[in-house]
């Protein structure tokens, strides 16, 4: 299936965004947004449009150049009306540089620049058929999003310009009381650089919400990677080391203390070992514990996350939304051979309609004896109604031991982003 699209120019996007912001005024917002929403309803189904502009800057100590990129990502999709229990969805996604492309996209050979993993590509992001005619059951087949819990083991990497989606069959059933069971089989993943990678991977997630203080989850992933990357038939990528079998349990909840105060807590454990044709022999553990409090909308959390190591192999989560974990500077997308212990504190709140987020990380190996570094993260976001948003984000990673693993160097990143979604 070939998709041809002319990307929206930066000037056109800015005009659209400014018009959208003007629509958020009380006098104009309702009519403007409703007219667009009604226009998206066609033939009994619904179009969706999501446009995101982003400027990203990266300064990495071991490279001679800084990275700068400003990009527009466009998604256009259509959901059909339901017919005898069936409905279908198709979505195009494309990312386009505008003025500045001084960065290593992982596909443009600009290796003197730091990586910004957002290549210029056009792709079919989703293409699925869903059948909901069985009691409390959905069966979805095709290219789709799959997200388990907090994205730690399977996610869609929504932060990057190109989304990670899966060619899979996924069955969801809610016939048992307070229980949702999801079972799937993945035969291909389309990653954030638009590569399609073959695999044969059954997965499951069982969530039980009948407990008084939170949700209990059991999940499993048997990732059997192919060695050949199907997007590049003349090149071979060794993905066998990502072939792992993982089983985990998670408990997540909140308990009100007063009307304005509640306790927050999460705990998770997972066990992993080599699987299928992985050439390495290892058995590793994952631990996570988090406690916090929400005081009148001011959220404070203290957290501990450890990805263990064995035989020179760290605990791996190759299908996770990795940007959400171990700092926004993305220094630990692959777990170091000595594992990682991340102790971090988080503060979040909303002031005058602006979301504020501050995080501090202390990174060490899984024994706690080798200090990798520390990181400070800041995010400021303002949403204008349901459809518009502005965001500023900053990450500052300071290395304590450059020899601990390749790429462990001081790194600073910042982003400016504007979004329109209908």
């Amino acid at each position: 299936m070939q998709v041809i699209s002319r990307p929206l120019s930066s000037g056109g996007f800015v005009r659209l965004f400014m018009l959208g912001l003007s629509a958020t005024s009380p006098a104009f917002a309702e009519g403007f947004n409703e007219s667009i929403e009604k226009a998206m309803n066609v033939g009994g189904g619904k179009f969706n449009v999501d446009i995101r502009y982003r400027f990203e800057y990266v300064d990495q100590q071991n490279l001679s150049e800084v990275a700068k990129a400003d990009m527009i990502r466009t998604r256009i999709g259509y959901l059909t009306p339901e017919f005898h229990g069936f409905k279908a969805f198709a979505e195009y996604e494309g990312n386009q540089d505008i003025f500045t492309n001084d960065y290593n996209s992982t596909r443009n050979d600009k290796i003197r620049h730091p990586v910004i993993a957002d290549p210029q590509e056009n792709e079919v992001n989703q293409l699925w058929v869903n059948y909901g005619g069985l009691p409390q059951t959905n069966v979805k087949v095709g290219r789709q999003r799959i997200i388990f819990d907090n994205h730690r083991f399977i996610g869609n990497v929504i932060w990057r310009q190109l989304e990670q989606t899966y060619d899979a069959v996924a069955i969801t059933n809610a016939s048992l009381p307070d229980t949702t069971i999801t079972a799937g089989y993945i035969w291909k993943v389309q990653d954030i650089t638009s590569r399609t990678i073959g695999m044969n991977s059954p997965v499951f997630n069982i969530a039980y919400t009948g407990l008084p203080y939170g949700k209990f989850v059991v999940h499993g992933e048997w990732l059997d990677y192919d060695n050949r990357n199907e997007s590049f038939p003349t090149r071979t990528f060794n993905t066998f080391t990502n072939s792992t079998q993982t089983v985990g349990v998670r408990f997540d909840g909140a308990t009100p203390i007063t009307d304005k105060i509640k306790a927050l807590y999460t705990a998770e454990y997972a066990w992993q070992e080599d699987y299928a044709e992985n050439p390495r022999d290892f058995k590793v553990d994952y631990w996570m514990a988090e406690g916090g409090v929400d005081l009148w909308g001011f959220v404070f959390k203290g957290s501990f996350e450890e990805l263990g190591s064995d035989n020179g192999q760290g605990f791996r989560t190759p299908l996770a939304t990795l940007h959400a974990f171990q700092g926004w500077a993305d220094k630990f997308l692959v777990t170091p051979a000595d594992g990682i212990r991340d102790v971090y504190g988080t503060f979040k709140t909303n002031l005058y309609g602006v979301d504020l987020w501050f995080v501090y990380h202390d990174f060490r190996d899984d024994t706690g004896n080798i200090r990798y570094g520390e990181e400070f993260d800041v995010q400021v976001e303002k949403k204008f109604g349901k459809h518009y948003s502005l965001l500023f984000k900053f990450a500052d990673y300071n290395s304590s031991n450059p020899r601990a693993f390749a790429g462990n160097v001081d790194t600073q990143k910042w982003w400016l982003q504007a979004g329109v979604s209908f």
Side-chain angles (χ1 to χ4, degrees):
M1 180 178 180
Q2 185 178 15
V3 181
I4 301 175
S5 175
R6 183 183 300 274
L8 189 69
S9 70
S10 60
F13 177 76
V14 171
R15 287 192 293 272
L16 174 62
F17 189 80
M18 295 308 294
L19 182 59
L21 291 188
S22 70
T24 61
S25 64
F28 191 62
E30 183 176 354
F32 178 83
N33 290 326
E34 282 188 1
S35 65
I36 296 179
E37 291 169 356
K38 289 178 180 178
M40 307 294 279
N41 297 315
V42 178
K46 185 179 186 302
F47 279 97
N48 71 276
V49 176
D50 187 296
I51 302 170
R52 183 165 75 184
Y53 167 80
R54 176 184 290 167
F55 178 83
E56 182 168 347
Y57 177 92
V58 183
D59 185 358
Q60 189 169 305
Q61 187 181 53
N62 64 333
L63 295 175
S64 59
E65 304 286 345
V66 299
K68 293 179 286 185
D70 61 331
M71 302 163 282
I72 290 244
R73 188 264 284 135
T74 304
R75 289 197 193 119
I76 302 172
Y78 181 72
L79 177 66
T80 69
E82 188 168 321
F83 179 74
H84 294 292
F86 287 93
K87 59 183 176 181
F89 181 68
E91 184 178 62
Y92 155 81
E93 180 177 62
N95 187 51
Q96 178 67 44
D97 296 338
I98 304 175
F99 302 116
T100 306
N101 63 353
D102 299 326
Y103 67 101
N104 178 2
S105 74
T106 73
R107 296 184 64 166
N108 60 4
D109 296 323
K110 294 189 177 184
I111 59 176
R112 294 175 58 191
H113 295 79
V115 170
I116 297 176
D118 293 318
Q120 295 189 77
E121 295 291 336
N122 298 282
E123 65 183 21
V124 176
N125 188 49
Q126 297 190 73
L127 185 63
W128 51 258
V129 176
N130 186 89
Y131 180 64
L134 300 173
Q136 296 182 295
T137 301
N138 278 306
V139 180
K140 185 182 290 186
V141 180
R143 182 163 295 175
Q144 58 188 281
R145 293 182 179 130
I146 300 179
I147 299 170
F148 284 175
D149 305 311
N150 65 337
H151 298 239
R152 192 55 179 107
F153 292 88
I154 296 184
N156 62 336
V157 199
I158 197 66
W159 170 250
R160 298 262 49 111
Q161 293 288 80
L162 298 177
E163 186 177 13
Q164 178 168 280
T165 50
Y166 303 87
D167 292 0
V169 55
I171 303 171
T172 303
N173 178 273
S175 58
L176 296 177
D178 304 314
T179 304
T180 301
I181 301 172
T182 302
Y185 181 84
I186 303 169
W187 60 86
K188 190 180 295 182
V189 56
Q190 180 171 263
D191 72 7
I192 59 173
T193 65
S194 199
R195 296 184 303 163
T196 53
I197 304 169
M199 59 173 56
N200 296 282
S201 302
V203 298
F204 78 87
N205 184 281
I206 303 173
Y208 179 70
T209 58
L211 300 173
Y213 298 110
K215 179 171 70 172
F216 179 74
V217 176
V218 179
H219 63 88
E221 301 83 27
W222 287 262
L223 307 184
D224 180 3
Y225 275 80
D226 294 343
N227 195 41
R228 180 176 174 271
N229 186 301
E230 298 177 24
S231 292
F232 299 95
T234 62
R235 298 168 62 185
T236 299
F237 294 81
N238 184 6
T239 56
F240 282 168
T241 55
N242 283 332
S243 292
T244 53
Q245 52 184 327
T246 307
V247 177
V249 293
R250 174 182 175 87
F251 184 76
D252 183 33
T255 298
I257 299 173
T258 69
D259 290 344
K260 300 293 184 179
I261 302 174
K262 59 182 175 181
L264 311 171
Y265 40 85
T266 305
E268 187 163 7
Y269 169 78
W271 168 84
Q272 182 180 93
E273 69 174 43
D274 56 282
Y275 183 61
E277 297 187 60
N278 194 322
R280 302 179 181 178
D281 181 16
F282 61 91
K283 294 179 174 63
V284 287
D285 298 302
Y286 170 88
W287 302 88
M288 192 274 285
E290 183 173 85
V293 62
D294 184 338
L295 302 170
W296 302 281
F298 295 89
V299 177
F300 302 86
K301 289 184 180 180
S303 307
F304 170 94
E305 184 181 46
E306 181 176 295
L307 287 77
S309 64
D310 178 43
N311 198 21
Q313 171 70 41
F315 194 107
R316 293 196 171 212
T317 58
L319 299 183
T321 299
L322 292 167
H323 179 78
F325 302 92
Q326 276 123 41
W328 299 334
D330 290 336
K331 304 307 294 183
F332 301 96
L333 298 180
V334 177
T335 304
D338 292 321
I340 183 170
R341 180 178 296 177
D342 180 11
V343 178
Y344 57 103
T346 305
F347 168 72
K348 295 173 66 175
T349 192
N350 181 288
L351 295 177
Y352 304 104
V354 178
D355 291 321
L356 304 175
W357 194 344
F358 302 91
V359 189
Y360 171 77
H361 294 266
D362 180 84
F363 301 110
R364 300 173 184 265
D365 75 330
D366 61 3
T367 69
N369 295 324
I370 301 173
R371 191 168 193 257
Y372 296 148
E374 63 180 357
E375 181 170 325
F376 299 87
D377 295 328
V378 178
Q379 179 173 301
V380 181
E381 183 175 19
K382 171 65 177 176
K383 295 181 179 178
F384 302 86
K386 297 186 296 181
H387 303 293
Y388 313 96
S389 64
L390 288 172
L391 177 143
F392 169 78
K393 191 170 182 175
F394 174 75
D396 183 8
Y397 176 80
N398 299 289
S399 172
S400 299
N401 188 351
R403 296 184 179 181
F405 58 89
N408 188 27
V409 296
D410 292 354
T411 302
Q412 290 78 40
K413 299 185 178 184
W414 60 270
W415 302 263
L416 287 173
Q417 179 175 293
V420 177
S421 179
F422 280 88

